[in-house]
Amino acid sequence: MKKTDKTYVVAACSEEDTIKIGKILASVFENRVIAVCGDLGAGKTHLAKGIAQGMGITRHITSPTFNILNIYKEDNKVFYHMDAYRLTDEENAYDVGIEDILEPEGITLIEWAENIIDVLPQGYVRIYIEKCEDENKRLLFITADKESIDRMAIRIYEDTSR
Ligand SMILES: Nc1ncnc2c1ncn2[C@@H]1O[C@H](COP(=O)(O)OP(=O)(O)O)[C@@H](O)[C@H]1O
Ligand SMILES: [Mg+2]
């Protein structure tokens, strides 16, 4: 994380809300790697669904728990969706071809990214999803360069569908 990075916190009050936030993120974080952390059931895969929808991906997004990496290529865009839960070190990450997805022509989203934090490129976007007492509420802590965060904040604020 750089000194100039900024963190924005947004509340999602339902799974639909998390998907809507994901759609906005897709418009701000083109060609970036997004590292998503948070407990099981936090909503990492739902956020991934929203991001894919925002990119215009029409295929159904499923959790990459078992295959580790799912690739959705549509038109000239690609959404790489990785689950690093079972990757325990760098070597493991290289075994599954991590270097091929770190400069995406589209977006790369990595769940359980804390397991492979050392292999992520400079300038990756970090999102931590925290569960709240209210069963359907989540807090998303989104960290990236200040310029992107400011652009994102305006789009989230202006999105009246939420
Ligand atoms: N605000 C919310 N955002 C995302 N998921 C939510 C929310 N509220 C409840 N849920 C539920 O939490 C679960 C999240 O699952 P999932 O996205 O697979 O999490 P993860 O990938 O972090 O394990 C789903 O059952 C979903 O319906
Ligand atoms: Mg998941």
Side-chain angles (χ1 to χ4, degrees):
M1 200 175 143
K2 288 194 214 149
K3 258 192 184 163
T4 51
D5 279 356
K6 191 168 172 180
T7 299
Y8 182 89
V9 189
V10 58
C13 297
S14 63
E15 64 173 64
E16 292 80 15
D17 211 10
T18 295
I19 290 172
K20 283 180 187 169
I21 292 167
K23 284 189 194 171
I24 296 172
L25 300 189
S27 73
V28 178
F29 297 119
E30 278 178 334
N31 304 327
R32 304 280 285 270
V33 172
I34 305 179
V36 188
C37 307
D39 290 347
L40 192 70
K44 301 180 292 298
T45 300
H46 277 74
L47 188 69
K49 281 181 195 201
I51 289 175
Q53 284 180 21
M55 290 174 69
I57 302 284
T58 56
R59 267 170 65 205
H60 183 64
I61 302 298
T62 55
S63 175
T65 314
F66 297 105
N67 1 341
I68 298 178
L69 178 63
N70 288 341
I71 302 175
Y72 303 86
K73 268 192 186 149
E74 281 183 33
D75 299 327
N76 52 356
K77 278 193 186 157
V78 56
F79 177 57
Y80 294 110
H81 186 190
M82 180 182 258
D83 187 328
Y85 186 72
R86 287 181 296 146
L87 302 183
T88 46
D89 57 33
E90 276 178 40
E91 206 170 77
N92 235 325
Y94 285 108
D95 287 346
V96 299
I98 185 92
E99 67 272 31
D100 297 334
I101 68 167
L102 295 180
E103 289 178 25
E105 283 179 24
I107 291 176
T108 289
L109 184 145
I110 306 176
E111 298 189 29
W112 297 102
E114 60 267 48
N115 285 349
I116 56 164
I117 222 82
D118 292 340
V119 309
L120 299 182
Q122 272 206 334
Y124 73 89
V125 180
R126 188 194 138 101
I127 302 179
Y128 171 64
I129 308 179
E130 186 174 277
K131 287 191 194 175
C132 302
E133 256 176 49
D134 176 341
E135 148 174 48
N136 293 320
K137 190 173 167 192
R138 305 288 188 267
L139 287 178
L140 278 68
F141 295 78
I142 308 170
T143 304
D145 60 287
K146 184 181 175 308
E147 202 215 328
S148 302
I149 291 292
D150 289 348
R151 232 174 335 126
M152 180 197 74
I154 290 168
R155 287 186 196 179
I156 289 178
Y157 177 74
E158 285 177 348
D159 179 23
T160 49
S161 74
R162 290 184 58 234

